[in-house]
Amino acid sequence: MKTTDPRDPLDRKIDDLLTNRPVQASAQFTAQVLAATEREDSFQLSQTHAEPGRQFLRLALPIAAVIAVAFTLAHFSTSTPNASDAADQLAINTSSQNLVVTPAAETELEILLSPDIQEILMLTEGLAGLSQVEGDIINATDLLNTLNALTFEIES
Amino acid sequence: MDRSPHTPTTAIVKDIDSACLRALAEGDRSVFASLVERWQTRLINFFYRSTQNLADAEDLAQETFLELYRAAPRYTHRGTFNAFIFTLARRRLIDSYRKRSRRPLDFIDPTDFVMQQQATEATNRTDEIEEAFHRALASLPENQRSAILLLQQQGLSYDEIAESLNASLSSIKTWIHRARKHLRNELKDFA
């Protein structure tokens, strides 16, 4: 495809303008580029070093949450009355108060279990959510302190 | 008819560039400085013709070199190094247009503005045709401008331009023809 006529002065002028490279890089340009690549390298290196810790946190936190929940449930299952005890208690209340039902045992169960179960569920969700947080923001020591504090609160 | 800048010298230079990139991929970082030295003027001038601002042109060239540095491990010898580096360069250019279009209003320091005006006036006085050429080039669609700059400023072949701009050979020829026609029309007063 012929786009230029070498005899045409305007074409020659346009060729000159197009082939011209009017600007030069500043004196520090190469140094700046190399500094940028070094920053890039150190960033990549820090990412690589941070990666195993982050992987560990992602795996360990849900496991820790499951263990905490299992211990808590085991604790409550040994201390709460079973269903037959609750039924006996209800029967006694019913007979002694002349057929006026006072669901004392059932209420007691609800009082004992509902908020605690909710608390456990919230704790589980909270710990699962913490596992999604980037490792740079919260470090492992903070997370373990938080877990200890929450476990202590449940146990007390 | 296609421009073919494949002289023995340019072939050797291209081999050096590819070899540098391969060495970089294998961990030899010292070769990167020579690559930057060899390509900085070409890249900066390519960007300067599109941005008309030296600082922006240098920023874009630096980003392109960084991209090249990152891309070194996945560089294959399938195309030419010319096509490869200008593919990266054009991506940076298009990204900069997108960023600029999302930014509603640039903050202009009044001092900078006055200095810029004075510099523009000086340029107008010294080289009116250069200014008109800049305006004509700026009014071209990006694909036409890149195509004609890669052909004439950078000396790429039509095949390399087609690879860099991810277009067919016939499209490239059409874009260059239209760009040339537009420039002739805009600069006819300087004939």
Side-chain angles (χ1 to χ4, degrees):
Chain A
M1 176 176 287
K2 194 164 182 66
T3 55
T4 58
D5 179 359
R7 293 162 301 178
D8 186 311
L10 182 56
D11 269 339
R12 280 209 307 273
K13 187 69 194 168
I14 290 171
D15 281 344
D16 289 345
L17 288 163
L18 280 168
T19 51
N20 186 24
R21 292 174 186 169
V23 292
Q24 291 293 318
S26 60
Q28 309 86 5
F29 182 77
T30 307
Q32 284 170 355
V33 173
L34 294 178
T37 57
E38 274 174 23
R39 280 197 299 275
E40 173 94 3
D41 280 344
S42 55
F43 177 73
Q44 292 290 338
L45 203 63
S46 67
Q47 290 287 98
T48 312
H49 283 310
E51 201 59 33
R54 194 171 295 156
Q55 289 293 335
F56 170 76
L57 280 177
R58 280 185 186 150
L59 287 171
L61 280 171
I63 292 168
V66 168
I67 291 168
V69 170
F71 271 113
T72 314
L73 285 175
H75 172 74
F76 277 111
S77 67
T78 54
S79 62
T80 51
N82 60 29
S84 60
D85 291 344
D88 290 347
Q89 185 65 39
L90 184 62
I92 292 162
N93 286 343
T94 314
S95 60
S96 65
Q97 290 179 15
N98 200 16
L99 295 176
V100 177
V101 177
T102 51
E106 196 178 336
T107 313
E108 193 180 344
L109 273 175
E110 281 178 0
I111 291 166
L112 273 175
L113 292 177
S114 300
D116 294 328
I117 288 170
Q118 281 178 3
E119 193 178 348
I120 292 161
L121 289 172
M122 284 171 70
L123 174 61
T124 313
E125 284 177 11
L127 286 170
L130 278 175
S131 69
Q132 305 299 320
V133 177
E134 290 295 318
D136 294 341
I137 301 168
I138 302 173
N139 61 36
T141 315
D142 292 338
L143 287 169
L144 286 172
N145 288 340
T146 310
L147 183 61
N148 281 339
L150 287 169
T151 312
F152 177 74
E153 194 174 311
I154 289 167
E155 284 173 353
S156 65
Chain B
M1 203 99 65
D2 293 1
R3 282 171 65 102
S4 183
H6 296 281
T7 60
T9 316
T10 54
I12 290 164
V13 170
K14 277 176 196 169
D15 279 344
I16 289 171
D17 293 327
S18 296
C20 279
L21 216 51
R22 278 198 298 273
L24 182 65
E26 285 160 14
D28 183 3
R29 291 180 53 211
S30 62
V31 294
F32 192 61
S34 65
L35 202 63
V36 174
E37 292 281 355
R38 220 168 19 254
W39 278 88
Q40 59 185 7
T41 307
R42 291 182 69 172
L43 276 184
I44 288 171
N45 277 283
F46 173 71
F47 287 125
Y48 178 71
R49 285 302 191 194
S50 294
T51 61
Q52 298 173 36
N53 180 301
L54 180 58
D56 287 347
E58 284 202 351
D59 286 348
L60 287 167
Q62 182 172 323
E63 286 172 22
T64 305
F65 281 123
L66 264 180
E67 191 64 34
L68 184 68
Y69 185 79
R70 289 185 202 118
R74 61 173 193 272
Y75 173 69
T76 55
H77 206 43
R78 199 177 48 193
T80 66
F81 183 84
N82 271 345
F84 183 68
I85 196 167
F86 281 108
T87 302
L88 302 180
R90 195 209 180 202
R91 273 188 214 151
R92 294 271 69 82
L93 190 62
I94 290 171
D95 281 352
S96 79
Y97 288 147
R98 283 192 190 130
K99 280 178 195 164
R100 200 167 294 176
S101 68
R102 281 201 294 269
R103 196 169 49 199
L105 194 65
D106 282 339
F107 171 74
I108 298 171
D109 186 330
T111 327
D112 282 353
F113 182 69
V114 171
M115 284 171 70
Q116 204 172 5
Q117 270 202 325
Q118 286 170 349
T120 309
E121 282 164 16
T123 309
N124 279 343
R125 281 195 298 273
T126 54
D127 204 346
E128 204 178 334
I129 190 168
E130 173 72 24
E131 187 62 29
F133 175 68
H134 250 311
R135 279 199 303 273
L137 210 52
S139 62
L140 280 171
E142 185 278 328
N143 53 2
Q144 292 180 25
R145 182 172 55 244
S146 290
I148 200 162
L149 284 174
L150 290 180
L151 179 76
Q152 297 209 247
Q153 188 195 54
Q154 304 295 333
L156 268 66
S157 68
Y158 279 97
D159 286 333
E160 287 173 327
I161 298 168
E163 192 185 332
S164 288
L165 304 189
N166 195 23
S168 67
L169 206 58
S170 59
S171 298
I172 297 298
K173 287 179 179 177
T174 308
W175 292 348
I176 288 169
H177 179 72
R178 284 182 187 160
R180 188 90 203 178
K181 200 172 159 187
H182 176 80
L183 291 177
R184 271 192 68 85
N185 192 44
E186 291 293 309
L187 299 173
K188 61 180 184 291
D189 295 340
F190 297 94

